[in-house]
Structure formats: structure tokens, C-alpha cells
Amino acid sequence: MSQPPNPQYQQAALPGCWWHPNRPTGLSCTRCERPACPDCLREASVGFQCTDCVQSGRTQDRVQQKQYRDAGYGARTIAGAQPPRTAVVTPILLALNVVIFFITVAQAGSVSDNNFSSVFQYGELWNPATLAGNEWWRVITSGFLQFGLLHIASNAFSLWFVGRPLETLLGRVPFITLYFVSMLGGSAANLVFTGLDAVPVVGASGAIFGLIGCYTVVVVKLRLNPTWLLVILALNVYITFQVPGISILGHAGGFVAGLLATVALLYAPDKNRLKWQLGGIAIVVVAMIGLVVWKDAQTISATCELATSRGMPSYVCYPE
């Protein structure tokens, strides 16, 4: 004689949910195999997983994605670098320029005549002191000195306006490389194409014009609307040639250096891209250094010292 199944007996034989022991269930997580009621299961790619396994999987995915990005894989900028979430290099460069400006103002005791400060005098780009006196640090330090409030305000605005989108587009390392290569280009142009009687030159505009040169290549590479670029170029060219005291050579040298450096960054072959980029940047830098060395070979060595002439601080160089 057979006996019909007892529903109460079958229900009592089922295991309780791991999270709700008072709920008998015939279901289980496909990952940890623990019994789970329908409220504690989530649909997965294969079967159903409990809430703990789902959360654990998400955490593990985030860790793996971070390791993947840190290893150099994942999304890339148009220059092949890791895309930054926010611009960091641009605000640092801007803050450095502003801080140095106020240091010169404090030393000189004047906002408009901050060129009387010692930081200014020993940092400006001046051919007799740079070439004849072999004070090569001026090639870089001059790019962080600004003469007067209008100069620092205009350069700070241009750097903030142009630098931030370019940094996120290229990546931090390519951007800072481009900035200093452009700065070197502006200084090299002033040293090579002027004589020892040239006036001192300062300012971040050489590097900023290099960023504008970079935009030129980006517009061509990505086939963007060139209207904004043409407006920026026209405005800066007008200022360069119409405002007295502007270094035309510094702007032109920075623009050309930035343009060539960007070509090396964006048109490098995908295979061994980094090596091609480094090689292209190296060619641009070596060419500029070579021109400066050639100019230096034409210059008579001299000993330079700071003096005051008609109340104005200036360098006096004596041939050795």
C-alpha cells in the first residue's frame, strides 16, 4: 500500500535561507551554493547569485579595473596616455607663475616695476648673461617671470583657458612635455635670432603659443571646426604685432616648437607608439639645443655682473 506525500513533511525537509532561516527554500546561489530565498537572489549571467556574491563581484571588478588601468591598459587619450579625470598640471603651472610674480613684487616693492627684484634680474632671458655668461638656467626661469600686473593677468587667463582642455585631451605627461618643449622653443628663438644688445625677455607666452600650435594640429588631426582656432590665432597675432614690448620671436618659436612636438605625439605609428613619440620629441629638442649651441659658439665668452645704470638694474659683460 502506498501513502500519498505529506506536504508538511516536504516543506520541513527543505533547508532554510542563509539570511532568513525561517524561510525554507529549494533555491541556492550558483556561486557560493548557499541556500537562498527569492528575495536574496539576483539574476546573473549564469543562473542566480546571492546579494553577498553580487557585492563581492562588483568589488572585485573595481579592483581588477584599477589594476588594469595602472598597468597601462584601458582607455587612452589621442596621444596614447591615460586620460586624466581633471586638469592638475595646468593649475599647478598657473599657481607657480602667480607665486613667483608676487615674490618679485614683494622684493621690488612695486607691482608695475617688479623687474627691480633680484629674482627677476637673475632669472630673465638676456643674451649677454645667457650666452656670454653661460647662465643657462635663464632659458627655463624666464618662462616663469611676468612683468607687471597686466602681463601676469593675461598669461594666467590664457594658460587657464587653453591649458585645461588640452591637458585632458592629451594626458598629463604629454601636456607637460609639450609645455616645456614650447617654452624651450621660445627661449631658443630669442637667443639664436637676436644679438647681444637685445633687451631682456620674460613671460610664459612662448609656452602658451606652443599650446596654440598644438591646437592647430589637433584641429587638423580630428577634423574639427577651425573657427575657434582661427579666432584665437588672429587675436594673438594682432596682440603680438601691435602691443609694444612683445617678443615676436618668443611667440613664433614657441608656436613652431609646440606644433612640431604635437605632430610627433599624434602622428606616431600605433606600433611602438611611445618609442616613436620619444624619438620625435628628442629630434625637436636636440635641433633647438643645437641651434643655441651654434649661436653660443659664435659668441665671445665674457664675465657678466649685475650693475645699475640710470637707476635701472642691468648686466655688464666683460670679454675674457
Side-chain angles (χ1 to χ4, degrees), residues 130-132 134 136 191-192 196 289-301:
T130 306
L131 292 175
N134 293 321
W136 297 107
L191 291 176
V192 173
L196 293 179
I289 293 176
L291 288 173
V292 174
V293 171
W294 170 81
K295 180 70 173 183
D296 182 54
Q298 314 300 315
T299 304
I300 300 175
S301 297

Side-chain angles (χ1 to χ4, degrees), residues 181 260 264 275-290:
V181 169
L260 293 177
K275 292 181 179 179
W276 282 99
Q277 289 175 329
L278 293 175
I281 295 292
I283 291 173
V284 176
V285 173
V286 169
M288 292 187 294
I289 293 176

Side-chain angles (χ1 to χ4, degrees), residues 31-193:
R31 185 171 181 179
C32 66
E33 297 183 350
R34 289 180 294 184
C37 66
D39 292 339
C40 297
L41 291 174
R42 301 291 182 269
E43 187 176 2
S45 56
V46 178
F48 292 84
Q49 294 183 6
C50 65
T51 53
D52 285 355
C53 288
V54 170
Q55 183 64 32
S56 176
R58 291 174 180 172
T59 303
Q60 186 177 1
D61 287 343
R62 286 194 294 268
V63 172
Q64 290 177 344
Q65 290 174 6
K66 184 178 184 303
Q67 293 174 343
Y68 188 75
R69 291 192 300 268
D70 293 343
Y73 302 102
R76 292 286 177 173
T77 66
I78 61 172
Q82 295 185 19
R85 295 182 179 179
T86 57
V88 174
V89 177
T90 301
I92 291 176
L93 290 172
L94 193 151
L96 187 58
N97 279 277
V98 172
V99 168
I100 294 176
F101 172 75
F102 281 107
I103 290 175
T104 62
V105 169
Q107 287 185 338
S110 173
V111 175
S112 58
D113 294 324
N114 60 314
N115 58 314
F116 281 91
S117 71
S118 59
V119 170
F120 204 102
Q121 294 301 318
Y122 285 102
E124 62 188 359
L125 185 70
W126 199 41
N127 275 8
T130 306
L131 292 175
N134 293 321
E135 297 179 358
W136 297 107
W137 64 83
R138 296 174 180 271
V139 171
I140 299 299
T141 57
S142 61
F144 291 95
L145 294 171
Q146 321 297 324
F147 176 58
L149 190 60
L150 181 60
H151 195 198
I152 181 63
S154 60
N155 281 345
F157 174 80
S158 298
L159 178 58
W160 181 258
F161 184 73
V162 178
R164 288 181 303 136
L166 204 57
E167 180 182 347
T168 55
L169 180 69
L170 297 177
R172 291 184 183 130
V173 174
F175 175 77
I176 196 169
T177 302
L178 172 69
Y179 187 88
F180 280 99
V181 169
S182 302
M183 181 186 294
L184 177 60
S187 297
N190 276 300
L191 291 176
V192 173
F193 298 108

